[in-house]
Amino acid sequence: MTIQKSTMSLSLLTLYGSLGSVLLTVVHGAPILNSPAQTRHRSNNFASLSGEIEFLEKELAMLQKRQLELERPLNNLISDRESHELKLNFIGNQLTAMKHRNLVYMQNSESNLDDNLDSNQPKVQPKAQHDKLKVASVKKSNQTFFYIVKSPRSGSTLLSKLLRSDRRVSILWEPPLASIDSFFQSCRTIICGVSVNDFLNNEPMYNEQVSMMERYNASLIIQLRGDVVAKAWSAERLFGKPHGKFKRNGDGWYSGKDYSHITVDKLLQSAQGGIDTIEGHLIAVQRLPQLHPLFVWYEHLYASCAGEINALYTHLGHPPPDLDRVAATCHDIAKPSLPLDPEVARQLRAQFPYTNPDDVVKTLQTRIRPDTPLKFHLW
């Protein structure tokens, strides 16, 4: 009996212990005593957590290093910005000074125009708006206007540079037609002009430009090139689509470039376009005697630069600039003619033999009649 009671008490204790363990597990989420497997699991978790911490520390170190690397160029950018701001301020000050000098120059030019007024012209004292308009028209009547019509590769760049070197001259290079009238209106120098390519491009443009010349009583200056073979070769080499590198030797000859795209047929077509251009301008000139046309030929300009400039200023009714200085400027900026292959030149000269513009003009004038229609779409 005693043994049965003891066994029963032990069973109850075991049962109570099991119940207590279950209760502790439910309440606390884990038993009070850990098993060996649980201990190993926790050790592995701790090792994994330590590895993650070590990894994050390395990442943090790398980010800090990257931050330092980014801060250097940022500081350089800030320094560059400050430097650029100083440069912009300097440029702004220079621009303001240039605007001031330009204003002074325009005022002086206007004063020079007043000094060049006809001595017989009565002085008009502006008392009302219409009087001011009268003064403006008097000033325009004492200015000289010119209108250069040209063809590419005919020396127009050289002529423009020579005219721009004279402070009495203002010239607008290849402007849109819509801007020419406003340029003439605002021009304050004694001599004002434009240089355009599209005189004979089409009939509406031709009529508009003739009307502009008549409105300002502008002298018509026609700049062309008589040697159409040399012009065609120069144009194809400059405006074509060659391959390879472009080199220039000390003697002025060009080499190192593939010109296989330039064929004799292409040069013949271009040279014929040059002849048609000369003929078209000769036809236009006989219809526009009121514009006092003057031809400036490429060949004459390069042969006697100072002489051509003297003739041009005489035509405009103004004394020329220092002709010795003009000749020196021509020598400095004039470029030698591009050499033409002898065999190609022989084939082209058989059809276009003339190198002197006077001979070309004489030949073309034999077939031009008073009723010859204008030719447009010329190059």
Side-chain angles (χ1 to χ4, degrees), residues 334-346:
K335 297 179 180 179
S337 299
L338 300 175
L340 180 62
D341 180 84
E343 178 58 27
V344 175
R346 185 188 63 78

Side-chain angles (χ1 to χ4, degrees), residues 65-292:
K65 182 179 179 181
R66 182 59 179 163
Q67 180 182 1
L68 292 176
E69 292 176 351
L70 292 175
E71 284 178 351
R72 293 192 189 99
L74 180 61
N75 293 332
N76 292 336
L77 287 174
I78 293 173
S79 177
D80 290 343
R81 177 184 176 183
E82 294 175 351
S83 175
H84 288 317
E85 287 178 349
L86 292 175
K87 291 179 181 179
L88 286 174
N89 290 335
F90 174 77
I91 293 174
N93 293 334
Q94 291 292 102
L95 182 61
T96 302
M98 288 176 63
K99 288 181 178 178
H100 176 71
R101 288 195 297 269
N102 185 52
L103 178 61
V104 172
Y105 173 72
M106 292 181 64
Q107 292 173 347
N108 291 338
S109 298
E110 187 173 348
S111 177
N112 291 336
L113 285 174
D114 290 336
D115 294 339
N116 284 278
L117 289 174
D118 186 2
S119 58
N120 295 324
Q121 178 69 35
K123 298 291 182 179
V124 180
Q125 299 297 330
K127 296 181 181 179
Q129 187 64 30
H130 69 278
D131 292 324
K132 294 181 182 179
L133 294 176
K134 288 181 181 179
V135 172
S137 64
V138 169
K139 290 180 181 179
K140 288 296 176 186
S141 67
N142 284 270
Q143 287 179 281
T144 299
F145 298 91
F146 65 88
Y147 207 103
I148 298 177
V149 297
K150 58 191 178 66
S151 180
R153 313 311 299 153
S154 297
S156 56
T157 302
L158 174 61
L159 180 61
S160 177
K161 288 181 179 179
L162 293 172
L163 292 174
R164 284 176 174 172
S165 65
D166 187 351
R167 295 188 63 182
R168 297 173 297 170
V169 178
S170 295
I171 181 170
L172 198 60
W173 176 263
E174 298 181 2
L177 292 184
S179 65
I180 295 177
D181 184 65
S182 60
F183 168 72
F184 280 160
Q185 285 288 339
S186 61
C187 182
R188 292 296 182 181
T189 54
I190 297 175
I191 306 174
C192 308
V194 294
S195 180
V196 300
N197 277 331
D198 302 323
F199 183 54
L200 293 177
N201 188 43
N202 56 61
E203 190 168 5
M205 292 179 68
Y206 165 80
N207 292 331
E208 181 180 352
Q209 292 179 86
V210 169
S211 175
M212 184 84 64
M213 297 179 212
E214 292 175 340
R215 193 181 318 151
Y216 288 93
N217 193 26
S219 294
L220 174 60
I221 299 171
I222 303 172
Q223 189 170 14
L224 301 173
R225 189 168 182 170
D227 189 349
V228 295
V229 170
K231 176 186 175 183
W233 176 243
S234 174
E236 286 298 327
R237 292 190 65 162
L238 183 64
F239 299 125
K241 297 179 180 179
H243 306 283
K245 294 183 179 179
F246 187 85
K247 299 178 181 178
R248 180 174 181 178
N249 297 330
D251 59 358
W253 287 73
Y254 292 79
S255 62
K257 201 172 186 181
D258 178 16
Y259 293 102
S260 59
H261 69 288
I262 304 178
T263 63
V264 174
D265 290 340
K266 197 170 187 179
L267 290 172
L268 286 171
Q269 182 181 3
S270 181
Q272 184 60 53
I275 288 291
D276 292 340
T277 297
I278 296 174
E279 184 178 11
H281 284 86
L282 291 174
I283 295 171
V285 161
Q286 72 176 7
R287 300 186 176 198
L288 303 171
Q290 74 279 14
L291 298 179
H292 318 293

